[in-house]
Amino acid sequence: MTEARQARTRVRDAIATHPWVCRTLAGAARYGGARSAAAKLRQLSLDLVTVSVPEVATGGVRVTVRLPGRAGRDQIATALRESGWTGFEPPMPTVFAACAATFPGVVYDIGANTGFYSVVAARVARANKVVAFEPFPPVLANLKSTLRVNRCSDRVHVEPAALSSAPGEATLYVPLQDHGLVETSATLSASFKEEYSDAIDVRVLTLDAYDESASPGRATLLKIDVESMEASVLRGALRILKTHRPIVFCEVLPSGDAKAIDAIRQQVRYTDIRLHADAAFIGSDVSFDPAGWNHLLVPDEKLERVEPLLTRCGLTLERAE
């Protein structure tokens, strides 16, 4: 991206942060006969999606998150615009926000995409330092734009890399781009989809090696969304899991390796919690659940502190027999 284009993007984000500014400038432009500029400014105000994090997650503190809607192309922003906070994969955002507010520290957002969870973590606790890993170049600009709009670029470090069990380079497979949306399913797994529109080489790190070299502090939260490669990320984070003892949010997909995730869980003494929209199922082996793809892996010694958070977030607790 050229310096001129970067400057235009920063100005655009600064204006978009305040919808009333967009509307005022649009009115002035329209009055002055600059109809094209007025239309663009008007679109900026319409594109920005603002949602409030539930106060049950923040301990009564009012926190808002802004997402550039990108003219309806961003799936998360579109879902939040249409249905509010609960419109996107409930109860994951609420539980994530509650954990990020309750256990401040270093938050690793692995597969950050356009930055929703990175922003939530940064906004709910000033003490949080966030590292957002995103290897897909076309999404990186959107991620950085989201951070600027929320004024948290100084507390979210963007790392343009994928994570796995070994460092080096790997092929990132990009699904067919025929949906017109911001891509969310790029993956290191060649078998995740039947067809791909592109395959690009990306840098690959292990979380343990990154954490050791960067030394950002004690990791308290991991969010892993890497389209069936979650077990590989966890294998590359064993030292962190054993010593830092972070809470882990992890997708378990039908094409993922649930048995490998469960073996790691047992090795590091974690408890699995499957998140349904209105319930949390505690203590079973890790397995794919079509009604609850998002799992919460909790260090055994932290379970007593996490269970009240789940109840506070409106979930019924169900225990494995």
Side-chain angles (χ1 to χ4, degrees), residues 5-62:
R5 186 176 177 185
Q6 288 177 339
R8 287 196 299 271
T9 299
R10 285 193 292 269
V11 171
R12 180 185 187 279
D13 292 342
I15 294 173
T17 302
H18 303 286
W20 66 269
V21 174
C22 293
R23 291 191 291 270
T24 301
L25 291 175
R30 187 168 56 251
Y31 180 78
R35 294 182 179 273
S36 177
K40 290 180 180 179
L41 288 165
R42 176 71 175 166
Q43 188 61 55
L44 275 179
S45 68
L46 293 174
D47 274 356
L48 194 69
V49 179
T50 302
V51 290
S52 295
V53 181
E55 293 187 6
V56 295
T58 62
V61 179
R62 179 171 173 77

Side-chain angles (χ1 to χ4, degrees), residues 3 20 47 59 61 73 77 83 85 87 139 143 158 173 190 210 212 276 287 291 296:
E3 290 186 7
W20 66 269
D47 274 356
V61 179
R73 294 184 62 243
S83 304
W85 178 265
V139 172
L143 168 58
V158 177
Y173 297 92
Y210 175 85
E212 190 170 1
H276 285 213
S287 61
L296 186 58

Side-chain angles (χ1 to χ4, degrees), residues 8 26 34 50 90 94 96 108 127 135 143 146 149-150 181 191 209 214 249 262:
R8 287 196 299 271
T50 302
T94 303
F96 178 86
Y108 285 123
L143 168 58
T146 301
V149 166
N150 286 276
L181 303 173
S191 60
F249 288 84
D262 194 62

